[in-house]
Amino acid sequence: MEADNLRTVTITSGREPFSLLAGGSLPEVTIAYETWGELSPARDNLILITTGLSATSHAARHAPGDEPGWWEAMVGPGHPIDTNRYFVVCTNVLGGCFGSTGPTSVNPASGSPYGADFPVIHVEDMVQAQTQVLDHLGVERAFTVIGASLGGMLAFQWGAQEPGRAQSICAIAAPGRSYAFSIAWRAVQRRAVTADPAFQDGRYEPGHGPVAGLNHARAIGILSYRSAEEFDPRFGRDWDEAAGCFAVESYMNHNAAKFGTLFDANSYLTIARSMDFFDLGRGAASYEEGVARIKSPSLVVGFTSDLLFPLSQQREVVEILRRAGRPVRYAEFETIYGHDTFLIEIHRLGALLTEFFASVPSGGQA
């Protein structure tokens, strides 16, 4: 995350406390975000990127010397999310630990970090906070809200909750509600965190949290994000002499080892639980009616090898939208890269996004 380009807005400034869907409120809410490109004179070219569980707001470089972003090949001049044309915004979610209000933030009532006392957050709350970032930027309606995984849930929720504020949505590798199998994956990940003695029921000192538990949770997550179709030919039974273990173990250890020092455990639990609670049917007479609240043109993308949110869950949303007469486009990628395909097959996904953006009847050039 590039600190020089990280911006924050206190969305509760001069307002009432931020009310939460689960009850209660937060007296002060700050949201961190980054931007690329220029807002058009008509203020109609904003693309909001909504992130997954662990991503920061740093989706791409701002200048050649910057650290690469997590969607580097997708966002930038001449890229599918073209910053020569679009004003791109990416926020850190409410409950996060990269600049937005979350468990590491100071509770004004106590003068200490919220920690384990941070309230339950729902995807609806995250969307509400993001709408107020748009208010701060003076933008009434986003050209597109796009995201994958939790970011795809957020994109769906934008369409249902804020139908007048998103000209279109793109939901990638996401369901319309969480089902038992993905909840089970996250339950095991949470157990890895809470079983670490350093967790201390969530009341660890800042900087002294359950690093090992978070690393284990990340390793479990990686298994749900990739596939046997990729791992078996990629690693086989190769032995890593330097590491003294199988090559696939070395890969898992390397990718998990840095996570625990970067992410806060209480934030991880908060965001993961918000994914469990996600349901477009909440507040509607039925799930189908909840999904049908999405009226904007939608692009829904699924991946054949996605273990976490399988194709049946994207197809379910698309079928409901089609029965309701909503404008929706659907694409399935035959791929071995699992849930993480959106980070890997940039060329295929980028071509699809470019085609979809061209079909949306708004979004002027800056």
Side-chain angles (χ1 to χ4, degrees):
M1 183 168 53
E2 293 294 309
D4 290 347
N5 294 290
L6 184 69
R7 305 176 187 182
T8 61
V9 54
T10 302
I11 59 177
T12 49
S13 180
R15 303 187 185 193
E16 295 295 316
F18 187 91
S19 296
L20 300 169
L21 184 67
S25 63
L26 288 165
E28 184 175 294
V29 171
T30 295
I31 298 297
Y33 67 97
E34 297 181 45
T35 70
W36 299 259
E38 299 292 334
L39 190 59
S40 66
R43 312 184 86 79
D44 63 351
N45 68 332
L46 185 148
I47 291 181
L48 176 64
I49 298 175
T50 50
T51 66
L53 191 161
S54 60
T56 73
S57 58
H58 189 60
R61 291 181 175 96
H62 295 270
D66 288 352
E67 286 291 321
W70 57 267
W71 226 7
E72 185 68 37
M74 188 65 79
V75 180
H79 292 181
I81 300 178
D82 188 351
T83 54
N84 287 332
R85 176 172 184 179
Y86 301 110
F87 178 56
V88 181
V89 179
C90 184
T91 72
N92 180 226
V93 295
L94 178 65
C97 54
F98 297 111
S100 292
T101 294
T104 60
S105 303
V106 173
N107 181 350
S110 67
S112 301
Y114 283 99
D117 295 325
F118 194 74
V120 172
I121 299 294
H122 286 274
V123 168
E124 288 93 328
D125 301 317
M126 297 175 179
V127 168
Q128 180 60 28
Q130 289 172 337
T131 65
Q132 293 182 36
V133 174
L134 264 63
D135 291 343
H136 168 72
L137 295 170
V139 175
E140 175 60 29
R141 183 167 66 170
F143 169 62
T144 289
V145 177
I146 179 172
S149 193
L150 167 60
M153 294 178 177
L154 285 159
F156 276 141
Q157 189 64 47
W158 262 87
Q161 182 175 325
E162 302 289 341
R165 302 209 64 178
Q167 178 70 14
S168 61
I169 63 168
C170 302
I172 304 163
R177 57 183 171 185
S178 281
Y179 284 90
F181 193 63
S182 73
I183 294 171
W185 274 109
R186 289 187 292 276
V188 175
Q189 290 172 279
R190 285 193 296 273
R191 185 175 298 179
V193 173
T194 59
D196 186 332
F199 181 64
Q200 300 182 54
D201 292 325
R203 303 194 181 281
Y204 50 86
E205 291 295 318
H208 299 279
V211 171
L214 278 166
N215 289 345
H216 291 324
R218 180 62 174 174
I220 295 166
I222 291 170
L223 290 178
S224 73
Y225 303 152
R226 308 305 274 261
S227 75
E229 291 89 346
E230 177 198 3
F231 272 28
D232 289 346
R234 179 177 176 182
F235 298 107
R237 293 181 48 80
D238 294 349
W239 186 260
D240 185 332
E241 291 290 348
C245 60
F246 284 102
V248 69
E249 293 179 89
S250 179
Y251 169 84
M252 296 289 288
N253 292 339
H254 173 76
N255 280 277
K258 52 192 176 182
F259 187 74
T261 59
L262 297 175
F263 215 87
D264 174 68
N266 283 316
S267 185
Y268 186 86
L269 301 183
T270 296
I271 299 171
R273 183 57 91 183
S274 76
M275 296 176 72
D276 293 349
F277 288 138
F278 175 64
D279 183 355
L280 285 175
R282 185 167 31 242
S286 66
Y287 176 60
E288 289 73 16
E289 288 193 18
V291 172
R293 291 181 297 173
I294 300 172
K295 298 177 181 178
S296 301
S298 304
L299 173 64
V300 179
V301 184
F303 306 132
T304 55
S305 53
D306 190 341
L307 293 175
L308 194 61
F309 301 127
L311 288 175
S312 60
Q313 296 176 15
Q314 288 89 57
R315 291 171 181 166
E316 177 184 59
V317 173
V318 170
E319 288 167 4
I320 293 170
L321 291 174
R322 285 176 174 165
R323 286 198 299 269
R326 307 294 188 243
V328 58
R329 303 179 70 176
Y330 177 54
E332 290 183 1
F333 282 19
E334 183 75 36
T335 175
I336 64 171
Y337 297 114
H339 187 67
D340 271 356
T341 295
F342 73 96
L343 297 172
I344 299 168
E345 296 212 30
I346 297 295
H347 179 74
R348 289 174 70 190
L349 183 58
L352 182 65
L353 294 180
T354 299
E355 180 184 349
F356 177 70
F357 294 161
S359 73
V360 178
S362 184
Q365 193 161 348

